[in-house]
Amino acid sequence: MSALPLQVTATPAALQLIERLRARHGALLFHQSGGCCDGSSPMCYPAGEFLVGDGDVRLGEIGGADFYISAAQFAYWKHTQLLIDVVSGRGGMFSLDNGEGLRFLVRSRLFDDAEFDALRAAGRV
């Protein structure tokens, strides 16, 4: 395997919403947690308005926005590629997608053995 598999990616619909939010709010940041208030919805914030913790793991970026996940969630999901999508509905209470008529949603797929081995060799899992 020549390139590492992406640990997070986004659908075209999610990328369109990200662009719309960026036009309105500037640079963005995503955080995926297993929080109580909005479950495990990916949350979108203006960059600099969410404090990334020492235990958060940067998975990559989607639509030019850094995407972080809490260490506890990463421990559960490290075997999966996260695909950020959008569906109709109301976004998370503190997330910028709230009020857009759409909300971000996580879909996932398991990495195959070769992909996971490559991520492990690169120190990503």
Side-chain angles (χ1 to χ4, degrees):
M1 174 170 287
S2 59
L4 287 178
L6 296 174
Q7 289 176 283
V8 63
T9 187
T11 64
L15 294 173
Q16 287 176 347
L17 181 54
I18 291 167
E19 278 306 309
R20 192 161 75 217
L21 294 173
R22 179 180 289 110
R24 189 174 303 138
H25 301 282
L28 305 173
L29 173 141
F30 281 86
H31 190 270
Q32 177 69 46
S33 71
C36 63
C37 298
D38 291 305
S40 58
S41 296
M43 304 292 279
C44 181
Y45 303 98
E49 290 192 20
F50 180 86
L51 184 59
V52 176
D54 291 339
D56 290 325
V57 177
R58 185 181 180 278
L59 287 186
E61 65 178 52
I62 55 173
D66 286 335
F67 193 102
Y68 291 86
I69 187 169
S70 69
Q73 280 297 106
F74 182 68
Y76 288 116
W77 291 3
K78 67 183 177 184
H79 296 90
T80 64
Q81 180 184 61
L82 302 186
L83 174 63
I84 308 307
D85 199 358
V86 293
V87 294
S88 295
R90 191 169 160 182
M93 184 178 355
F94 303 110
S95 185
L96 293 176
D97 55 336
N98 191 4
E100 294 292 320
L102 298 169
R103 66 181 184 90
F104 291 108
L105 175 81
V106 173
R107 301 183 191 280
S108 64
R109 73 166 183 88
L110 288 174
F111 289 119
D112 65 31
D113 290 342
E115 290 172 320
F116 192 74
D117 288 345
L119 288 167
R120 183 182 300 134
R124 296 288 302 150
V125 293

